[in-house]
Amino acid sequence: MSKPANFDEVLDLLKQYLEEDFEVSPQDVLPDARLYEDLDLDSIDAVDLIVRFQRDIGRRFSAEEFKSARTVKDVVDVVVANL
């Protein structure tokens, strides 16, 4: 897998993860979608997402970096900032 390089590529990767791991429809994964309220994720799911990004991108993230992430855009922004 090649590493994502920009916002759209990270968003596509996040859509893939959410569909494969949490059965979230990719059409629901919009930048302003709220992780907990709109996509029905919980805190354990969020940690699983971080772990999946770490494994696939080869970059470690601290929980602190994602602590304030509430929307899809927030998650993508954190990943992009660390590419």
Side-chain angles (χ1 to χ4, degrees):
M1 164 185 298
S2 64
K3 291 183 182 183
N6 60 43
F7 185 93
D8 291 332
E9 291 178 3
V10 173
L11 179 60
D12 288 343
L13 195 55
L14 180 57
K15 287 179 182 182
Q16 176 187 330
Y17 294 167
L18 289 170
E19 181 178 29
E20 291 173 0
D21 298 344
F22 307 105
E23 299 177 0
V24 173
S25 173
Q27 64 203 33
D28 293 335
V29 184
L30 304 171
D32 63 345
R34 296 170 298 174
L35 300 174
Y36 305 109
E37 297 87 346
D38 299 331
L39 303 181
D40 202 31
L41 300 180
D42 61 29
S43 59
I44 300 299
D45 297 334
V47 170
D48 290 343
L49 276 177
I50 294 169
V51 169
R52 180 116 188 234
F53 270 115
Q54 289 179 155
R55 183 186 71 221
D56 291 353
I57 294 175
R59 161 67 168 81
R60 299 220 20 101
F61 300 98
S62 71
E64 200 62 34
E65 290 176 285
F66 285 95
K67 190 173 186 173
S68 63
R70 297 289 179 256
T71 66
V72 167
K73 181 183 181 310
D74 294 340
V75 171
V76 174
D77 285 345
V78 169
V79 174
V80 169
N82 286 284
L83 292 177

